[in-house]
Amino acid sequence: MSYSAAVSGASGYAGGEVLRLLANHPEVHIRTVTAHSNAGQRLGELQPHLHTLADQVLVETTPENLAGHDVVFLALPHGASAEIAAQLGEDTVVIDAAADHRLENPADWEKFYGSAHQGTWPYGLPELPGQRAKLAGARRIAVPGCYPTTVLLGLAPAFASGQVLPDDVVIVAATGTSGAGKSLKPHLLGSEVMGGMSPYGVGGGHRHTPEIEQGLTWAAGEPVQVSFTPTLAPMSRGILATSTAKIAPGTTVDSLREAYAAHYDAEPFVHLLPEGQWPATKQVVGSNHVTIQVAVDEHAGRAVVVSASDNLTKGTAGGAVQSMNLALGLPETAGLNLLGVAP
Amino acid sequence: MSYSAAVSGASGYAGGEVLRLLANHPEVHIRTVTAHSNAGQRLGELQPHLHTLADQVLVETTPENLAGHDVVFLALPHGASAEIAAQLGEDTVVIDAAADHRLENPADWEKFYGSAHQGTWPYGLPELPGQRAKLAGARRIAVPGCYPTTVLLGLAPAFASGQVLPDDVVIVAATGTSGAGKSLKPHLLGSEVMGGMSPYGVGGGHRHTPEIEQGLTWAAGEPVQVSFTPTLAPMSRGILATSTAKIAPGTTVDSLREAYAAHYDAEPFVHLLPEGQWPATKQVVGSNHVTIQVAVDEHAGRAVVVSASDNLTKGTAGGAVQSMNLALGLPETAGLNLLGVAP
Amino acid sequence: MSYSAAVSGASGYAGGEVLRLLANHPEVHIRTVTAHSNAGQRLGELQPHLHTLADQVLVETTPENLAGHDVVFLALPHGASAEIAAQLGEDTVVIDAAADHRLENPADWEKFYGSAHQGTWPYGLPELPGQRAKLAGARRIAVPGCYPTTVLLGLAPAFASGQVLPDDVVIVAATGTSGAGKSLKPHLLGSEVMGGMSPYGVGGGHRHTPEIEQGLTWAAGEPVQVSFTPTLAPMSRGILATSTAKIAPGTTVDSLREAYAAHYDAEPFVHLLPEGQWPATKQVVGSNHVTIQVAVDEHAGRAVVVSASDNLTKGTAGGAVQSMNLALGLPETAGLNLLGVAP
Amino acid sequence: MSYSAAVSGASGYAGGEVLRLLANHPEVHIRTVTAHSNAGQRLGELQPHLHTLADQVLVETTPENLAGHDVVFLALPHGASAEIAAQLGEDTVVIDAAADHRLENPADWEKFYGSAHQGTWPYGLPELPGQRAKLAGARRIAVPGCYPTTVLLGLAPAFASGQVLPDDVVIVAATGTSGAGKSLKPHLLGSEVMGGMSPYGVGGGHRHTPEIEQGLTWAAGEPVQVSFTPTLAPMSRGILATSTAKIAPGTTVDSLREAYAAHYDAEPFVHLLPEGQWPATKQVVGSNHVTIQVAVDEHAGRAVVVSASDNLTKGTAGGAVQSMNLALGLPETAGLNLLGVAP
């Protein structure tokens, strides 16, 4: 195993998922795991599912502890990464699961995050048109958000092929609770979550909105505008995104399926399902796979695309490892040959 | 208790919920319960939660067994109600939980249900503009579908007040599995459902689409067209509907809230939540209540309305009992003073 | 409505359930609701399922605010009730959902709760032999714990009829997460709870152990000793208790069923199920009912009793209201005619 | 990849899990997948989570189709394996996930399964004392049941070290619904399962009872007798077993922990957790790991052992692959280096 890795935020859900994937990566070994309030504890206490890593001890998340690795994963709250990256040396591959360097437009960043923009890093979604080349050999990578990953993979071929219109995209998505992390908030208690659904960030306020628009704008080659409503579903993992856009004249389900097939046929992790089959999040839980199906509602004049992912895997840690593979020149699928755990 | 009731389909989820509500209704007593393949069994075997009705024995669903009651609830597959109703006498209040007599337009019926249209009955959603008067004293009532109930209550005030546009409504809703009934289908197994979400009827094919459009058209006074996507969520009960429509010039969140407040302030079961609070299905599970909140996404030019209901209560059996109360001239809330069972 | 009630701890799950039941109680009106950190808020913000009580404002939990009511419900952490009760006047019915006055043996209290014993109040489980008479007209009532309620109702007839032996009782029970309240602990997060089961308090450490032994000792007329293991299940509500004891010579499933039938046939809330039917927590969720079934494993020489309850209803708030009814001389079932919400 | 495999019952949950594990096995390739009513379909339709195997087509489960492979997995209802095995040649490794050849005692088989006993094969639980040697090079292997796997791993060291008594073992276990397979039964519907718990096979009737007693008897060296009660929990995967036995004089939690540590320290998949940590099924979901913790309840005179597994992985398919590795002389952990998917 040629490459050494440090994983910060190793006591959280995103950090834990990075560790789960790296534990079986053929070319990377986990040398350092860091945390903040949990420093000093064994991983076995905090991530008891990572049996083979149980005895690794968390150290404080400091630039000193993160320095000297080939790869550093940042699974920290946004705001921390630019400063840490500056102290890690330009040869280190820094992969940031937070939002800091995803947005190109400083105004978007400031509006949605309320702080100064710290620059833009290559966007770790290789299946978007043109992105894979930017990730090869990169030394700084911004991992996309879990909703943007799922929505962009779902809509990009439709926009890239000019078959849908950019001015009135409507997206409603459901996420599992792990997307909210381990923070102790009343509405995330099991008693509140189980057996019910609720929305949040309604009306355009969710921070993933500008990120979705940015990615769709890249794909469309013109500005795309979306209405995005996230909802919280009673499950630990998974995102199901229902994305609709008005169809351009001449668009049919066949023409859309053709575009998707062409776009994804060579992709190892993104799958247009056969006609008649629809994505379900359980098909992809624990895996780096994304499934997609498209329909055309001629009555409403809209294409409807449903895409499913595991928010922690392809939506965060899997996307991070996939990008790392590209950055290091490894096979893109290394360490990611996991299948969904169903049922 | 002045009125006698018969409940057909009493071994299913909808029939069971009707029984749960009638069991404590102050003016109605359950005289007859009927079923098909389960005839001859005790209710205690099939609906073990209905402790006080455990010893009532199911008889065959025939016009003879249903005749002679003041009220007959039909919780049967669509197709059966017209024929049965014809044999029940015009004085009997027949309340049909199936779809047969919901749609006014025969073409819609034939397109979505594939059989001959059997006529239209008063539509059991008293909170829709103009509907309550039609239900008072009615002897035939079509109970709305669970999705239409939830969506129509969510969008009606926006359309009735002319604040949203009719030509591009997008609705994505999540339902609990009880909406699919007790039918033994592989995708409804607990192992398949728990921990995941999936869509169905994508692209305009769901039978509730024309019913939603009909109700919105009534509210708007002009034809409304919707894109409707239902999804299956890992919960037994509950519908969360996210409905969006383009706003008319001048519409603000305040002007919308004002219209909703005016529309629902006197309603016992439909609640515009205070600003900042959003509907969650757990708030209404087991109750006849519906909660609503609205937002305006100015960036996208859309109003976003979220509404939550219990698909079996307000969405089926509660709406049925509420309509029965109107038909019989009883207080509209009789037997329906249940609060949500949370958490 | 002749009686005024105050409910303390009204922002928690137990307090919320008391309110849900009292909201429809024919003889009691809720005059005061109190809380600690949430004082000043509307109930609608904290218990959004209690639609009809939404505008009631929480006041601080003080003896002054609780004084002057006919009934006071204490849904507070243990330790607070004796002091408050002393300031409420001897005519006030004080119903304590905490553990303070459940145990007769001061040594048990001190061992399991680590503080000084504050005396014993009548034990609010009227279905236990001899208890109902003690509750009639009582002015201080200790509501049983949710596990003891479920286990004692399950085992009492077997012990009272001398058909099982007292020296080696083994109980394993599963509870929904609401039993742990709204406290913000990592292991109670939805992400941790959903899709998994785990034990806690293993090895005799759970505080309900001495309470279970006390109740069984009452029923048996000789000291009973139990091994009790609670587990946390992925559901909001419900307790399923599997209780086994060695059978006395001559005990058969028929002799046991006879004893249970005799014991419970006149009880409105406790039901021995017909042969072949087994309790399921969903049958009783939201209701004050408890279901029971018994088996004899001749091979192992043990009776196995399974009982199911809703931990918040019969296990807490329903038991509290039932006891209040007895204390006030009302019909025991007043306000409790709710059926389980299934599915 | 040197070995060819056929998997029968490939459309079910057990067969699907075997495929999930073999898909990444370094030394085995899946040549044939068989089914009965689903023959002719693509795996992608029936097991959509197995993305990399989606295009493999199911053929009929016949001896002809299964012949000619190095390994054959039988994931069929019991009753079929002896006949098929007889037609497969003695060199083929036949691994049977059904119960047919697990029990040594024909009387037990006949009592619990009601048919003629077909002989006993080596029992695929290498962590039981003495079992590993019997599996090395074996050509016929009976995969243990999921409950026996979890219970036996939990109790074997206590019995092997003589620290618990054999005459009064009590076991209560909770399983996820996948243990019941894909059969379409009403009580397995999501609506029935979600949010509730229920028991089944109470009173000694579950077929895993004699298998548990057999394994414990092997470990103890004297007859062991158990009371076993299984329950159904609202989760797809996982077993949590709470097993208690009376302690022999001198047994302490330390002496037990010592025995477990000695027994399992070299095992790759079975883990005695550090003091204070308790098993949770989510720690092991999707993995071949089992976690264990022990307590001594001195008051009750019982040891309490809790063990957690994934019923489909270590409890079925993982145990099968682990046994196959031993049979073929491969590293025991080959293809099984998966970690639990949490949260």
Side-chain angles (χ1 to χ4, degrees):
Chain A
M1 294 195 287
S2 340
Y3 299 99
S4 65
V7 178
S8 66
S11 58
Y13 290 147
E17 187 75 349
V18 170
L19 292 172
R20 184 174 77 92
L21 299 176
L22 292 184
N24 289 322
H25 196 289
E27 303 290 342
V28 176
H29 66 279
I30 302 161
R31 191 199 288 163
T32 303
V33 288
T34 84
H36 182 51
S37 56
N38 295 304
Q41 295 190 57
R42 295 166 58 254
L43 263 184
E45 295 171 68
L46 296 160
Q47 307 278 17
H49 60 301
L50 304 176
H51 302 284
T52 54
L53 307 175
D55 291 327
Q56 230 159 332
V57 175
L58 294 156
V59 297
E60 189 73 29
T61 303
T62 62
E64 294 71 34
N65 284 332
L66 295 173
H69 300 81
D70 296 312
V71 191
V72 172
F73 289 89
L74 302 177
L76 305 171
H78 70 264
S81 45
E83 197 181 348
I84 287 181
Q87 301 176 59
L88 289 179
E90 297 190 355
D91 281 354
T92 303
V93 175
V94 180
I95 299 185
D96 186 10
D100 296 59
H101 302 90
R102 292 177 192 159
L103 298 181
E104 292 185 324
N105 184 341
D108 279 345
W109 175 265
E110 284 154 25
K111 176 177 170 195
F112 280 86
Y113 293 88
S115 58
H117 191 232
Q118 299 293 321
T120 312
W121 292 357
Y123 192 70
L125 195 59
E127 296 89 351
L128 271 197
Q131 286 304 116
R132 186 168 273 117
K134 296 179 187 166
L135 297 167
R139 286 300 172 260
R140 296 291 182 271
I141 293 174
V143 180
C146 49
Y147 282 124
T149 292
T150 316
V151 171
L152 294 177
L153 293 175
L155 282 177
F159 278 105
S161 64
Q163 299 192 60
V164 293
L165 305 182
D167 64 330
D168 190 27
V169 180
V170 177
I171 302 154
V172 178
T175 187
T177 52
S178 62
K182 278 191 185 172
S183 53
L184 295 175
K185 294 179 185 161
H187 76 284
L188 297 177
L189 285 175
S191 298
E192 302 293 321
V193 168
M194 286 184 286
M197 290 204 65
S198 57
Y200 61 104
V202 187
H206 196 281
R207 286 166 165 172
H208 286 175
T209 304
E211 189 181 336
I212 291 170
E213 293 190 338
Q214 168 180 280
L216 293 180
T217 298
W218 291 343
E222 60 181 325
V224 177
Q225 201 158 294
V226 309
S227 159
F228 170 55
T229 305
T231 65
L232 191 65
M235 56 192 191
S236 292
R237 289 171 173 244
I239 287 180
L240 187 83
T242 303
S243 306
T244 82
K246 284 189 281 195
I247 49 176
T251 298
T252 65
V253 69
D254 289 338
S255 68
L256 275 175
R257 284 188 59 84
E258 230 169 275
Y260 278 73
H263 199 100
Y264 289 132
D265 265 8
E267 290 293 344
F269 297 125
V270 187
H271 311 280
L272 176 66
L273 292 176
E275 284 184 74
Q277 261 187 280
W278 286 89
T281 61
K282 288 193 77 163
Q283 297 167 359
V284 295
V285 160
S287 85
N288 204 48
H289 295 277
V290 173
T291 53
I292 298 173
Q293 185 56 285
V294 299
V296 169
D297 182 343
E298 284 175 22
H299 171 72
R302 285 189 166 263
V304 184
V305 183
V306 178
S307 49
S309 74
D310 184 323
N311 57 302
L312 287 181
T313 320
K314 179 60 175 168
T316 305
V321 169
Q322 186 181 352
S323 294
M324 176 201 76
N325 288 338
L326 288 166
L328 295 175
L330 299 170
E332 189 170 332
T333 62
L336 295 171
N337 58 348
L338 300 163
L339 294 173
V341 178
Chain B
M1 292 193 290
S2 343
Y3 299 100
S4 66
V7 178
S8 66
S11 58
Y13 291 147
E17 187 75 348
V18 170
L19 293 173
R20 184 175 77 92
L21 299 176
L22 292 185
N24 289 322
H25 196 289
E27 303 290 344
V28 176
H29 67 278
I30 303 161
R31 191 198 291 163
T32 303
V33 289
T34 83
H36 182 52
S37 56
N38 296 304
Q41 296 190 57
R42 294 167 59 254
L43 262 184
E45 297 171 67
L46 296 160
Q47 307 278 18
H49 61 300
L50 304 176
H51 302 286
T52 54
L53 308 176
D55 291 327
Q56 230 158 332
V57 174
L58 294 155
V59 297
E60 189 74 29
T61 303
T62 62
E64 293 70 36
N65 285 331
L66 295 173
H69 298 81
D70 297 311
V71 192
V72 173
F73 289 89
L74 302 177
L76 305 171
H78 68 264
S81 44
E83 196 180 349
I84 287 181
Q87 302 178 59
L88 290 178
E90 296 193 355
D91 281 352
T92 303
V93 175
V94 180
I95 300 185
D96 185 11
D100 297 59
H101 302 91
R102 293 177 192 159
L103 297 181
E104 293 185 324
N105 184 341
D108 279 347
W109 175 265
E110 285 154 24
K111 176 178 170 196
F112 281 87
Y113 293 87
S115 57
H117 191 232
Q118 299 294 321
T120 312
W121 292 356
Y123 192 69
L125 195 59
E127 297 89 350
L128 270 197
Q131 287 304 117
R132 186 169 273 119
K134 296 181 187 167
L135 297 167
R139 286 301 171 260
R140 295 290 182 271
I141 293 174
V143 180
C146 48
Y147 283 125
T149 293
T150 316
V151 170
L152 294 178
L153 293 175
L155 281 177
F159 278 105
S161 64
Q163 299 193 60
V164 293
L165 305 182
D167 63 328
D168 190 28
V169 180
V170 178
I171 301 153
V172 179
T175 188
T177 52
S178 62
K182 278 191 184 171
S183 53
L184 295 175
K185 295 178 184 162
H187 76 285
L188 297 176
L189 285 175
S191 299
E192 301 294 320
V193 168
M194 288 185 284
M197 290 201 66
S198 57
Y200 62 104
V202 187
H206 196 282
R207 287 166 165 172
H208 286 174
T209 304
E211 189 181 337
I212 291 170
E213 293 190 338
Q214 168 180 282
L216 294 180
T217 297
W218 290 342
E222 60 179 325
V224 177
Q225 200 158 295
V226 311
S227 159
F228 171 56
T229 306
T231 65
L232 191 66
M235 55 193 192
S236 292
R237 287 172 174 245
I239 287 181
L240 187 83
T242 302
S243 306
T244 83
K246 284 190 280 194
I247 49 177
T251 298
T252 65
V253 70
D254 289 338
S255 67
L256 274 174
R257 285 188 57 84
E258 230 168 275
Y260 278 73
H263 199 100
Y264 289 132
D265 265 7
E267 290 293 346
F269 296 125
V270 186
H271 310 281
L272 176 66
L273 292 176
E275 285 184 72
Q277 261 187 278
W278 286 88
T281 60
K282 288 193 77 162
Q283 297 166 2
V284 295
V285 161
S287 85
N288 205 46
H289 294 278
V290 172
T291 53
I292 298 173
Q293 185 55 285
V294 298
V296 168
D297 182 343
E298 286 175 20
H299 171 72
R302 283 189 167 263
V304 185
V305 183
V306 179
S307 48
S309 74
D310 184 322
N311 56 301
L312 286 181
T313 321
K314 179 61 174 165
T316 304
V321 170
Q322 187 180 352
S323 295
M324 175 201 75
N325 288 339
L326 288 166
L328 296 175
L330 299 171
E332 189 170 334
T333 61
L336 296 171
N337 59 348
L338 300 163
L339 295 173
V341 178
Chain C
M1 292 193 288
S2 343
Y3 299 99
S4 65
V7 179
S8 66
S11 58
Y13 290 147
E17 186 75 349
V18 171
L19 293 172
R20 184 174 77 91
L21 299 175
L22 293 185
N24 289 323
H25 196 289
E27 302 291 343
V28 176
H29 67 278
I30 303 161
R31 191 198 291 162
T32 304
V33 289
T34 83
H36 182 50
S37 56
N38 295 305
Q41 296 190 58
R42 294 167 59 255
L43 263 183
E45 296 171 67
L46 296 159
Q47 307 277 20
H49 61 301
L50 304 176
H51 301 285
T52 54
L53 308 175
D55 290 327
Q56 229 158 332
V57 174
L58 294 155
V59 296
E60 188 75 27
T61 303
T62 61
E64 293 71 34
N65 285 332
L66 295 173
H69 298 81
D70 297 311
V71 192
V72 173
F73 289 88
L74 301 177
L76 305 172
H78 69 266
S81 44
E83 197 180 349
I84 287 181
Q87 301 177 60
L88 290 179
E90 297 192 355
D91 281 353
T92 304
V93 175
V94 180
I95 299 185
D96 185 11
D100 295 60
H101 303 90
R102 291 177 193 160
L103 297 182
E104 294 185 322
N105 184 342
D108 279 347
W109 175 266
E110 284 155 25
K111 177 179 170 194
F112 280 87
Y113 293 88
S115 57
H117 191 232
Q118 299 294 321
T120 312
W121 292 356
Y123 192 69
L125 195 58
E127 296 89 351
L128 270 197
Q131 287 303 118
R132 185 168 276 118
K134 297 181 187 166
L135 297 167
R139 286 301 171 259
R140 296 291 182 270
I141 293 174
V143 180
C146 49
Y147 283 125
T149 293
T150 316
V151 170
L152 294 178
L153 294 176
L155 282 178
F159 278 105
S161 63
Q163 298 192 63
V164 293
L165 305 182
D167 63 329
D168 191 27
V169 180
V170 177
I171 302 153
V172 178
T175 187
T177 52
S178 62
K182 277 190 185 172
S183 53
L184 295 175
K185 294 178 184 162
H187 76 285
L188 296 177
L189 285 174
S191 299
E192 301 293 322
V193 167
M194 287 185 284
M197 290 202 65
S198 57
Y200 63 103
V202 186
H206 195 282
R207 286 166 165 172
H208 286 175
T209 304
E211 189 181 337
I212 291 170
E213 293 190 339
Q214 168 180 282
L216 293 181
T217 296
W218 291 343
E222 60 179 325
V224 177
Q225 201 158 294
V226 310
S227 160
F228 171 54
T229 305
T231 64
L232 191 67
M235 56 193 191
S236 291
R237 288 171 173 245
I239 287 181
L240 187 83
T242 303
S243 306
T244 82
K246 284 189 283 195
I247 49 176
T251 298
T252 65
V253 70
D254 289 337
S255 67
L256 274 175
R257 285 189 58 84
E258 230 168 274
Y260 277 73
H263 199 101
Y264 289 132
D265 265 8
E267 290 294 345
F269 297 125
V270 186
H271 311 281
L272 176 66
L273 293 175
E275 285 184 73
Q277 260 187 280
W278 286 89
T281 61
K282 289 194 77 163
Q283 298 166 0
V284 294
V285 160
S287 85
N288 204 46
H289 294 278
V290 172
T291 53
I292 298 174
Q293 186 54 285
V294 298
V296 168
D297 182 343
E298 285 174 20
H299 170 72
R302 284 188 166 265
V304 185
V305 183
V306 178
S307 49
S309 74
D310 184 322
N311 57 301
L312 287 180
T313 321
K314 179 60 175 166
T316 305
V321 170
Q322 187 181 351
S323 294
M324 177 201 74
N325 288 338
L326 288 166
L328 295 175
L330 298 170
E332 189 171 332
T333 60
L336 294 171
N337 59 347
L338 299 163
L339 294 173
V341 178
Chain D
M1 293 196 288
S2 340
Y3 298 100
S4 64
V7 178
S8 66
S11 58
Y13 290 148
E17 187 76 348
V18 170
L19 292 173
R20 185 175 76 93
L21 299 176
L22 292 185
N24 290 323
H25 196 289
E27 303 291 343
V28 176
H29 67 278
I30 302 162
R31 192 198 288 162
T32 303
V33 287
T34 84
H36 181 52
S37 55
N38 295 304
Q41 295 190 57
R42 295 165 60 254
L43 263 184
E45 295 171 69
L46 296 160
Q47 307 277 19
H49 61 300
L50 304 176
H51 302 285
T52 54
L53 307 176
D55 291 327
Q56 229 157 334
V57 175
L58 294 156
V59 297
E60 189 73 28
T61 303
T62 62
E64 293 70 35
N65 283 333
L66 295 173
H69 299 82
D70 297 312
V71 191
V72 173
F73 289 88
L74 301 177
L76 305 172
H78 69 264
S81 44
E83 197 181 349
I84 287 181
Q87 301 176 60
L88 290 179
E90 296 190 356
D91 281 352
T92 303
V93 175
V94 180
I95 299 184
D96 185 10
D100 295 59
H101 302 90
R102 291 176 192 159
L103 298 180
E104 292 184 324
N105 184 339
D108 280 346
W109 176 265
E110 284 155 25
K111 177 178 169 194
F112 281 86
Y113 292 88
S115 57
H117 191 231
Q118 299 294 321
T120 314
W121 292 356
Y123 191 69
L125 195 58
E127 297 88 351
L128 271 197
Q131 286 304 116
R132 187 168 273 118
K134 296 179 187 165
L135 297 167
R139 285 300 170 262
R140 294 291 181 274
I141 292 174
V143 179
C146 50
Y147 282 125
T149 292
T150 316
V151 170
L152 294 177
L153 294 175
L155 282 177
F159 278 106
S161 63
Q163 298 193 61
V164 293
L165 304 182
D167 63 330
D168 191 27
V169 180
V170 177
I171 302 154
V172 178
T175 187
T177 52
S178 62
K182 277 190 185 172
S183 52
L184 295 176
K185 294 179 184 161
H187 76 285
L188 297 177
L189 284 175
S191 298
E192 301 293 321
V193 167
M194 288 185 285
M197 290 201 65
S198 58
Y200 62 103
V202 187
H206 195 282
R207 286 166 165 171
H208 285 174
T209 304
E211 189 181 338
I212 291 170
E213 292 191 337
Q214 169 180 281
L216 294 180
T217 297
W218 291 343
E222 58 180 327
V224 177
Q225 203 157 294
V226 310
S227 159
F228 171 55
T229 306
T231 65
L232 191 66
M235 56 192 192
S236 292
R237 288 172 173 242
I239 287 181
L240 187 82
T242 302
S243 307
T244 82
K246 284 189 282 194
I247 50 176
T251 298
T252 65
V253 70
D254 289 339
S255 67
L256 275 175
R257 286 188 58 84
E258 230 169 274
Y260 278 73
H263 199 101
Y264 289 132
D265 266 8
E267 290 295 345
F269 296 125
V270 187
H271 311 281
L272 175 67
L273 292 176
E275 284 184 73
Q277 262 187 277
W278 286 89
T281 60
K282 289 193 77 164
Q283 298 166 1
V284 295
V285 160
S287 84
N288 205 46
H289 294 277
V290 173
T291 53
I292 298 173
Q293 185 57 283
V294 298
V296 169
D297 183 341
E298 285 176 20
H299 171 71
R302 284 189 166 264
V304 185
V305 183
V306 178
S307 48
S309 74
D310 184 322
N311 57 300
L312 287 181
T313 322
K314 179 60 175 167
T316 305
V321 170
Q322 187 181 351
S323 295
M324 175 202 75
N325 288 339
L326 288 165
L328 295 175
L330 299 170
E332 189 170 332
T333 61
L336 294 171
N337 58 348
L338 299 163
L339 295 173
V341 178

